Amino acid sequence: MNQQAVDQLRPHRREGHRPVSSSLPLPRHTATPLEPRLPRPPSAGHKNLHVLVVENETAAADTLVQGLMRQGHRAERVKTGSEALSVHHRADLVLLDLDLPDLDGLEVCRGIRAVSDTPIITVTARGSELDRVLGLQAGSDDYLVKPYGFRELLARIEAVMRRSGPRPETAQAISQGPLHIDSTTREVTLDGEPVELTRKEFDLLHLLATNPGSIVSRRQLMAQIWGDTWSQRGRTIDTHVSSLRGKLGSSSWIITVRGVGFRLGHP
């Protein structure tokens, strides 16, 4: 075999390139284009958030939840305002649509803000200046109009969490004079003696105790404890308040603010 034939059998090596180790030729034009990678929130302290998505439209909610999970966050979706008022305390951040089937989102925003400093970003199709003003006045930390870019949402989440800072831990025990409430064991003592309460009675007392000096409205009580914003005209709250007063030995422990709600007192 002459030298020219030997040279033809050798693999061609272009200048500046390493030879491919595999003996099989690489297929041409089969590579799929890479999808653009969305940036993760830059601050490590704001990763792995528990985000509550309050969204009525299933397709929009699913897309948002999946996007947040790809960024390393936990995402939980609820469809109604009542559900949001019941579970918002579990979240680090709330993404709130205003167009909900049971309650107006502004009312939900006010309800959350009345009992919690959890950051809220309103995500809605309502885009007028008045809508933005009402949303911010209701307690939203930011306001984003649909349609929006997911990168922008991530940036706004990062900015809101940066402004809000670390959330203070909820007190494990609350004392009001001789009344002691332990949220960990769900035990109540008065003058050192245990007070046997039902689950709802404890939740009612604990909610009032975590808002010392503040009036908690009937609507707020129904939403937070019973997950219901429609039954405020019933006797549910009054029955539980009456029972609590009896077990605590004085009506002065729970003060009725007529036409508004209740607050924790001190005999």
Side-chain angles (χ1 to χ4, degrees):
M1 183 178 296
N2 58 32
Q3 185 63 38
Q4 183 178 2
V6 171
D7 291 341
Q8 289 177 348
L9 293 176
R10 291 176 179 171
H12 292 285
R13 181 181 303 178
R14 291 190 299 175
E15 185 177 354
H17 287 264
R18 295 180 180 179
V20 179
S21 59
S22 171
S23 60
L24 296 176
L26 291 176
R28 300 178 63 185
H29 308 301
T30 57
T32 57
L34 296 176
E35 295 182 359
R37 178 174 295 179
L38 296 175
R40 289 181 181 272
S43 173
H46 299 150
K47 290 184 180 180
N48 303 319
L49 297 173
H50 183 175
V51 182
L52 178 64
V53 176
V54 187
E55 171 63 65
N56 181 38
E57 296 181 5
T58 299
D62 289 345
T63 300
L64 184 52
V65 166
Q66 291 170 11
L68 291 169
M69 292 177 67
R70 283 197 296 267
Q71 298 302 307
H73 301 306
R74 290 177 57 203
E76 175 184 4
R77 181 250 179 146
V78 296
K79 301 178 182 179
T80 67
S82 297
E83 291 177 288
L85 289 171
S86 298
V87 302
H88 72 84
H89 60 277
R90 301 200 297 245
D92 300 308
L93 172 74
V94 177
L95 298 181
L96 175 64
D97 188 14
L98 296 183
D99 297 313
L100 302 173
D102 57 340
L103 297 172
D104 186 86
L106 293 176
E107 185 175 352
V108 176
C109 186
R110 284 190 287 266
I112 294 174
R113 186 56 69 234
V115 298
S116 172
D117 60 354
T118 302
I120 302 171
I121 299 178
T122 295
V123 182
T124 179
R126 303 182 192 176
S128 72
E129 181 182 2
L130 178 60
D131 288 323
R132 294 171 187 269
V133 170
L134 292 175
L136 296 172
Q137 288 180 340
S140 291
D141 295 278
D142 202 348
Y143 197 101
L144 188 59
V145 178
K146 300 177 181 178
Y148 58 88
F150 191 59
R151 289 180 177 86
E152 180 182 1
L153 175 63
L154 292 178
R156 289 177 181 268
I157 289 175
E158 173 65 20
V160 165
M161 297 307 297
R162 186 168 58 246
R163 292 196 302 266
S164 65
R167 295 179 61 192
E169 296 185 1
T170 304
Q172 299 299 311
I174 303 171
S175 294
Q176 176 80 337
L179 181 66
H180 184 78
I181 305 168
D182 193 319
S183 60
T184 303
T185 61
R186 296 182 65 86
E187 294 177 346
V188 176
T189 59
L190 182 62
D191 292 320
E193 297 295 325
V195 180
E196 298 296 330
L197 301 179
T198 67
R199 181 177 183 83
K200 294 300 186 186
E201 288 171 351
F202 178 88
D203 291 342
L204 175 57
L205 181 62
H206 184 262
L207 181 55
L208 294 175
T210 54
N211 293 273
S214 299
I215 302 170
V216 182
S217 69
R218 286 177 173 270
R219 181 180 292 275
Q220 190 175 321
L221 288 171
M222 288 301 300
Q224 296 287 117
I225 299 173
W226 284 275
D228 183 357
T229 58
W230 299 104
S231 303
Q232 60 177 329
R233 292 175 294 179
R235 300 293 299 172
T236 301
I237 296 177
D238 299 284
T239 300
H240 283 78
V241 167
S242 178
S243 178
L244 262 177
R245 286 168 172 165
K247 292 182 178 181
L248 295 175
S250 172
S251 60
S252 299
W253 277 114
I254 301 178
I255 307 299
T256 300
V257 181
R258 194 172 300 278
V260 182
F262 302 88
R263 64 177 177 84
L264 189 67
H266 193 314

